[in-house]
Amino acid sequence: MTPAMTEIDLGPVVAIPPGEGRTIEAQGRKIAVFHTRAGGVFAVQAECPHRGGPLADGLVGGTTLICPLHSWKFDLATGAALFGDCGLKTYPVRVDETGRIFLTIDNS
Amino acid sequence: MQTKQKLVVIGNGMAGARTVEEILARGGGDMFDITMFGDEPTGNYNRILLSNVLNGSYKEDEIYLNSLSWYKEKNITLLSGTRAAGLLPRAKLVYAENGDAEPYDKLIIATGSRPFIPLMEGTTMPDNSFKPGVFVFRTLDDCREIAEYAKGKKSAAVLGGGLLGLEAARGLQNFGLEVNVVHLGGHLMQAQLDPAAGAILRSSMEKLGVKVHLSKNTRGILGADRVTGLRFADGSDLECDMVVISAGIQPNWEIAAGCGLTVERGIVVDDQMRCIDSRDIYAVGECAQHRGRTYGLVAPLWEQAKVLADHITGRNTRAAYHGSKVATKLKVMGVEVASMGICEPEYPEDEVIQFSDPKRGSYKKLIIREGRLVGGMLLGDISKAAYLMQSFDRNTPLPEERLGLLFDLGDPPKQVTFEEMSATTQVCNCNGVSKGTLVACVNSGMRTAKAVMDATRAGMGCGSCKAMVGEIVEWACGGKIEEDPSVHYYVPGIPLTKPELIRAIRERNLKSVSAVFDYMAGGKEDAASKPGLASLLKVVWKGEYEEETDARFINERVHANIQKDGTFSVVPQMPGGVTSVQQLRQIAYVAEKYRVPLVKLTGGQRIDLLGIRKEDLPKVWEDLGMPSGFAYGKSYRTCKSCVGADFCRFGLGDSMLLASKIENEFQGFDSPHKMKLATAGCPRNCSEAMVKDVGAVAVEGGKWEIYIGGAAGSSIRKGDILCVVDTHEDVLKYMGRFIQYYRENAKYLERTHGFVQRLGIDKIRAVVMEDSEGIAERLDREIAESKAAYKDPWKEAYSIPANNQFATLLPVLS
């Protein structure tokens, strides 16, 4: 049985400056949403698996994210750890034709 | 499909196996079918450690470099226990003792060497085998036989007081034997030591119970059916139950000579390690003679193996071996010895630096020619060996301060060598990285310090262990260290040094970080490079710099220092640590209003409000009504001071006023790393100005000393005096010049102490005080422009209509 999915409107992509991230809260979960300079939008868990650093405050280059606390590195597209021993949970996102971000979250 | 060439290697010792490894590392596995002849019935082992097997500190299986399974894995046919008997270069065949023939396209001769046996009566039995009790010391089999025979014996003699002989002596002593070293020459280890050092080594060894007989020419070995003693040319005898002959080595060139290849002392090779008579035959290691020299140490062999592999695989057909500089470090019976190059001066102009302390077993001697090290030896205390051997190997100019070459002056001495350091020793105390972890990275194939640091984060916390991490990687790599060119780049993502980068930025008028990536890296962003670029662009363009907040580390985005829980700390400006009743009231009000969890004095004489939520930052700043103290940035931080002349009965100068002038001059300046300053009203230095990035200390006569490059954090260093001046204005002027020179020339995240040490105080003094580069006026102008472009980021943040930079959560519409 597939879990029920909900799609949530996160507002306009321009609310996130290019190259930065912001934290949102949905379904009781904190999620970091990033808007890369190349125009991509990605969503991952908000806290670093290492020591809980706020990933939305990290540095982004391409799709590489660096946590601000101890510089663990992740790939935003896959969630894979590039430095560190644990990856990130990713969430599907899309930007519609009006430039709004929609995040899909499972209800489980 | 292209068929593979057939590569045959004669010899499976350290030279043969290492060369094959180097070839495989260059993709040789796809080019060659490899067959190796190995005399011994085993895989390849580290012959250097044989004496450790003999003395029991290593087990046999611990010294294997490549087990038999390694050959299988790499698809190498190992003919172990098979001796190559001959060679037919025209037919391109190697044939074995059993008559089998092995064809080759390329051939490598790595037959090594064998012990040299001087002519003595009674060495052998009538059947030409050694007399029982006579041994050489070259293979694992020799080790086993010596150990077996030594059981129940009383005394042994080692013929030869060279390096190998002394190692054999050490091994024999562990069997409880009385050990004699018999040496033809006048002092021990003649190849590495001079007579004075040899004498000290001799007395150290005799203290440990080894008897040393010098200038003894051994005529014969006594005993009818087994060894009972030695007879010398002077007619005297020495009783002993066994003899280990260690009188030097002799290259194994017979197989080459037998087929007409040129042989002198070894098989003669060119700079590509090819035999001079055949394009398809190479020789490497102890059997090879290059430019008239043969080598018996392992480091030259590694260099030869690399060149050979580059050439044979076509990876670099211009690779050339130019000969090796021989340096060695070892422990002889508990005595540490390091030696390099020549033992005695050769020209009248050669400079000799010498220290001798025979009673404590310490001896140091360096031979310097035209400012460079050409030879030397250290005995006993070899703490300077790593540095000296590197200077020798790289032929780098030596510092004028000769005493520092022999002794560590001022710096804490290195406690242990890397060999002795246990694998669990923590090297990087910030990120908890042990020596073992670093070595494991090297063993897994990493060859640059940067690769190891990237993988482990070692050296990437406070940075104070960076040099040691580099040294350990170099040590673990042996001769295989490679330099990552990116260490010279200002930031890893743009392949340019800082001056090149500044030039490119100016020429192309690049004013934002994204523009730099677009024009200089094909649009490819590198996250870790962004803050360094932002900092540099601000220094270059000042007010014209186009800020892109995503290029900044979070601290500089929100002008506060991120804490472990994601909250921030707020430190308002407080020049010289001077505050007022009004300020204290305001700070108290804010602390209460925002329920600040911790209020603390900082090391920079300021007040820190910790635990502020990001969204409260602009309101906190507005309520404080004080400018930012920049306690978060890679920038000018603050200038602390002592009470100075106002109240202090020792005060010579007005340090508080100077501190506030300094703060007003440099506040908010971006720089390669943080800059912490101080002023002191007298040389008692209460405000610690002498250990600051930049400091000013008042001295009698109304003068100020300016110190630069001090540190009292993860590294500790007293600053160098840049100059002594008369007025506050001159203090600001020369501090400013130095600061701007540092901003333009230091690597990103290089503190002033590293920068000053790298360039040297003389060079900096010349630029700043004597204008040796003709840039002083420009530096002054840049400082003035940077000052003019200063804006208080806190005031900007609360007076400009809010963006969502300070929101921790975005509102969500669902």
Side-chain angles (χ1 to χ4, degrees):
Chain A
M1 204 179 80
T2 51
M5 300 286 190
T6 310
E7 194 166 60
I8 301 166
D9 181 355
L10 301 184
V13 67
V14 292
I16 307 177
E20 294 190 29
R22 291 291 182 270
T23 311
I24 60 117
E25 193 169 322
Q27 314 269 347
R29 267 181 262 184
K30 284 186 178 172
I31 295 169
V33 184
F34 294 88
H35 175 203
T36 67
R37 282 207 164 258
V41 176
F42 301 93
V44 298
Q45 69 188 69
E47 291 178 345
C48 181
H50 177 220
R51 298 273 174 86
L55 292 172
D57 286 345
L59 279 163
V60 175
T63 59
T64 301
L65 166 68
I66 305 179
C67 175
L69 290 196
H70 307 98
S71 302
W72 277 33
K73 275 189 201 172
F74 307 94
D75 181 47
L76 285 174
T78 63
L82 303 176
F83 180 84
D85 44 30
C86 179
L88 302 176
K89 176 170 174 54
T90 59
Y91 295 88
V93 274
R94 67 181 177 89
V95 179
D96 77 355
E97 60 283 358
T98 67
R100 296 186 79 82
I101 307 172
F102 290 89
L103 170 92
T104 304
I105 191 164
D106 54 90
N107 296 326
S108 57
Chain B
M1 201 186 94
Q2 208 186 343
T3 53
K4 290 191 192 177
Q5 289 204 311
K6 198 143 175 24
L7 172 66
V8 173
V9 182
I10 304 176
N12 180 37
M14 294 178 76
R18 179 62 168 253
T19 305
V20 168
E21 276 181 38
E22 294 283 356
I23 290 171
L24 293 176
R26 288 160 178 75
D30 299 327
M31 306 167 62
F32 298 110
D33 278 321
I34 303 176
T35 301
M36 297 182 77
F37 282 85
D39 221 357
E40 294 181 60
T42 54
N44 157 46
Y45 57 84
N46 186 343
R47 210 179 290 282
I48 296 166
L49 293 175
L50 270 184
S51 62
N52 299 69
V53 174
L54 188 60
N55 72 28
S57 59
Y58 278 74
K59 295 203 183 72
E60 280 186 21
D61 55 6
E62 285 177 316
I63 69 165
Y64 276 95
L65 295 170
N66 300 107
S67 63
L68 290 172
S69 63
W70 179 82
Y71 297 86
K72 223 173 265 168
E73 244 166 61
K74 304 288 178 190
N75 277 324
I76 296 168
T77 311
L78 174 64
L79 306 173
S80 61
T82 309
R83 176 184 274 269
L87 174 56
L88 299 170
R90 292 218 176 175
K92 292 196 164 185
L93 279 179
V94 178
Y95 53 93
E97 267 179 346
N98 62 12
D100 287 351
E102 198 67 44
Y104 66 82
D105 296 301
K106 301 277 180 195
L107 176 71
I108 297 172
I109 304 175
T111 43
S113 64
R114 62 177 181 278
F116 167 69
I117 315 284
L119 266 180
M120 295 175 292
E121 285 168 24
T123 311
T124 53
M125 300 299 281
D127 67 351
N128 227 12
S129 65
F130 278 139
K131 181 183 285 178
V134 176
F135 298 93
V136 291
F137 179 45
R138 179 69 185 167
T139 66
L140 265 178
D141 279 340
D142 297 335
C143 261
R144 291 183 197 118
E145 286 165 18
I146 291 171
E148 187 56 39
Y149 194 86
K151 281 180 193 159
K153 301 292 185 297
K154 270 203 226 126
S155 65
V158 175
L159 283 191
L163 198 152
L164 277 172
L166 299 187
E167 294 209 326
R170 170 169 76 120
L172 289 168
Q173 226 190 2
N174 281 23
F175 296 119
L177 297 169
E178 181 196 304
V179 179
N180 296 276
V181 171
V182 177
H183 189 51
L184 182 61
H187 69 269
L188 295 174
M189 284 180 68
Q190 272 163 307
Q192 289 87 16
L193 302 180
D194 69 359
I200 291 175
L201 181 62
R202 176 192 186 170
S203 76
S204 298
M205 294 194 61
E206 289 191 325
K207 269 183 214 151
L208 295 168
V210 175
K211 287 190 183 143
V212 180
H213 310 264
L214 297 174
S215 306
K216 283 282 185 194
N217 185 358
T218 308
R219 269 288 167 76
I221 298 177
L222 304 175
D225 50 2
R226 60 177 183 83
V227 174
T228 58
L230 298 177
R231 172 150 301 160
F232 303 120
D234 61 11
S236 62
D237 289 352
L238 174 72
E239 265 184 45
C240 60
D241 301 322
M242 58 193 294
V243 180
V244 176
I245 300 172
S246 181
I249 55 169
Q250 189 172 343
N252 290 325
W253 41 251
E254 287 76 4
I255 198 164
C259 67
L261 297 173
T262 303
V263 169
E264 291 170 4
R265 278 158 56 216
I267 305 166
V268 179
V269 295
D270 64 12
D271 286 354
Q272 283 68 46
M273 306 309 297
R274 270 176 310 187
C275 293
I276 55 173
D277 327 86
S278 166
R279 316 300 289 166
D280 300 316
I281 304 178
Y282 296 79
V284 65
E286 290 173 327
C287 66
Q289 175 186 328
H290 173 263
R291 298 191 188 175
R293 291 184 71 182
T294 56
Y295 296 94
L297 290 169
V298 73
L301 179 169
W302 289 352
E303 293 169 33
Q304 294 175 353
K306 271 188 182 178
V307 171
L308 196 165
D310 273 342
H311 190 260
I312 204 170
T313 57
R315 173 67 68 94
N316 174 11
T317 49
R318 284 155 61 179
Y321 177 64
H322 300 294
S324 292
K325 307 186 92 178
V326 178
T328 179
K329 200 167 82 177
L330 68 155
K331 212 172 180 175
V332 190
M333 309 211 51
V335 182
E336 302 239 47
V337 178
S339 105
M340 59 213 94
I342 55 178
C343 299
E344 298 288 355
E346 291 170 345
Y347 301 101
E349 298 80 25
D350 285 353
E351 195 183 326
V352 179
I353 315 282
Q354 220 163 343
F355 169 81
S356 175
D357 182 1
K359 204 167 170 198
R360 282 158 203 84
S362 182
Y363 183 78
K364 306 179 186 204
K365 174 172 169 181
L366 302 177
I367 301 158
I368 299 171
R369 186 174 300 156
E370 288 169 358
R372 290 167 162 84
L373 197 57
V374 291
M377 64 201 71
L378 303 172
L379 210 71
D381 168 21
I382 64 159
S383 56
K384 299 297 282 185
Y387 167 75
L388 291 170
M389 285 165 84
Q390 190 175 333
S391 304
F392 170 74
D393 190 53
R394 299 184 183 169
N395 203 30
T396 44
L398 298 171
E400 277 305 305
E401 169 62 58
R402 299 295 196 227
L403 201 56
L405 297 173
L406 296 182
F407 304 97
D408 281 313
L409 303 169
D411 301 327
K414 250 187 210 142
Q415 296 298 316
V416 287
T417 63
F418 296 135
E419 285 89 345
E420 291 165 348
M421 186 188 271
S422 95
T424 55
T425 302
Q426 185 157 296
V427 176
C428 175
N429 288 325
C430 291
N431 293 317
V433 185
S434 67
K435 173 196 155 191
T437 308
L438 299 176
V439 173
C441 285
V442 172
N443 290 342
S444 75
M446 295 178 195
R447 288 290 175 267
T448 68
K450 180 161 187 303
V452 174
M453 286 164 64
D454 283 345
T456 61
R457 309 217 70 78
M460 295 168 91
C462 74
S464 62
C465 66
K466 228 172 172 173
M468 192 194 262
V469 171
E471 286 169 19
I472 290 177
V473 171
E474 187 168 350
W475 166 79
C477 283
K480 295 193 202 168
I481 185 99
E482 289 161 16
E483 189 181 65
D484 186 323
S486 72
V487 298
H488 300 296
Y489 306 159
Y490 171 67
V491 287
I494 312 274
L496 294 177
T497 63
K498 190 166 185 179
E500 291 167 345
L501 184 57
I502 292 179
R503 210 175 312 126
I505 285 169
R506 287 216 166 102
E507 274 169 13
R508 300 185 190 199
N509 213 32
L510 306 175
K511 296 190 176 171
S512 69
V513 172
S514 59
V516 173
F517 283 122
D518 283 346
Y519 287 95
M520 324 245 349
K524 194 175 179 302
E525 286 184 304
D526 175 51
S529 299
K530 284 178 157 187
L533 290 173
S535 163
L536 182 62
L537 290 168
K538 185 76 193 289
V539 170
V540 172
W541 297 113
K542 304 166 199 85
E544 288 175 58
Y545 160 64
E546 289 164 17
E547 182 77 77
E548 289 170 342
T549 46
D550 67 301
R552 295 288 196 175
F553 183 60
I554 185 65
N555 284 7
E556 272 126 336
R557 283 184 206 167
V558 301
H559 319 296
N561 202 336
I562 192 166
Q563 304 297 309
K564 62 191 281 188
D565 60 355
T567 66
F568 291 83
S569 82
V570 166
V571 180
Q573 189 176 52
M574 202 169 276
V578 180
T579 183
S580 66
V581 175
Q582 288 74 19
Q583 278 187 349
L584 291 173
R585 278 214 181 94
Q586 211 57 28
I587 290 168
Y589 164 73
V590 166
E592 207 163 51
K593 176 172 173 184
Y594 294 93
R595 298 169 190 277
V596 173
L598 180 65
V599 182
K600 189 179 180 316
L601 299 183
T602 71
Q605 299 181 337
R606 303 190 286 180
I607 295 176
D608 196 349
L609 306 169
L610 291 122
I612 312 266
R613 296 183 308 164
K614 200 203 281 178
E615 61 264 39
D616 288 338
L617 287 171
K619 290 179 282 174
V620 166
W621 298 332
E622 187 163 15
D623 284 342
L624 279 171
M626 295 167 72
S628 167
F630 289 91
Y632 43 79
K634 303 296 177 233
S635 64
Y636 169 91
R637 288 286 181 88
T638 187
C639 183
K640 58 185 212 168
S641 77
C642 62
V643 175
D646 278 16
F647 282 85
C648 178
R649 68 185 199 281
F650 300 116
L652 300 171
D654 190 345
S655 54
M656 283 193 297
L657 179 63
L658 179 58
S660 78
K661 285 181 184 170
I662 286 172
E663 184 105 359
N664 184 53
E665 187 82 6
F666 306 123
Q667 58 191 342
F669 275 29
D670 281 84
S671 53
H673 209 308
K674 54 192 174 189
M675 290 190 287
K676 296 176 165 183
L677 282 70
T679 59
C682 82
R684 284 169 190 76
N685 193 30
C686 295
S687 55
E688 296 144 0
M690 294 174 192
V691 290
K692 291 294 171 188
D693 291 287
V694 182
V697 178
V699 293
E700 190 56 69
K703 293 181 185 301
W704 292 91
E705 292 176 335
I706 299 180
Y707 286 82
I708 58 171
S714 54
S715 298
I716 298 181
R717 178 176 193 266
K718 185 177 177 184
D720 295 309
I721 294 188
L722 175 68
C723 59
V724 183
V725 296
D726 292 320
T727 62
H728 282 183
E729 285 56 49
D730 277 350
V731 170
L732 295 178
K733 176 172 150 186
Y734 293 115
M735 277 188 174
R737 259 188 217 168
F738 166 69
I739 286 173
Q740 184 62 21
Y741 190 62
Y742 166 66
R743 293 171 85 201
E744 292 180 7
N745 291 284
K747 297 174 191 165
Y748 190 56
L749 300 185
E750 181 176 35
R751 285 291 291 267
T752 58
H753 66 87
F755 177 71
V756 169
Q757 286 181 93
R758 179 162 65 84
L759 271 67
I761 182 66
D762 294 338
K763 156 93 178 164
I764 291 172
R765 222 179 261 146
V767 171
V768 172
M769 306 306 300
E770 290 141 35
D771 195 14
S772 61
E773 293 182 6
I775 58 171
E777 205 178 305
R778 183 181 65 73
L779 293 175
D780 295 347
R781 199 170 57 240
E782 301 269 355
I783 285 286
E785 286 171 14
S786 291
K787 184 184 174 186
Y790 163 78
K791 289 194 182 108
D792 172 24
W794 288 2
K795 192 163 188 178
E796 292 220 309
Y798 63 75
S799 45
I800 292 171
N803 61 19
N804 62 15
Q805 193 69 60
F806 296 95
T808 43
L809 292 173
L810 279 186
V812 171
L813 314 166
S814 52

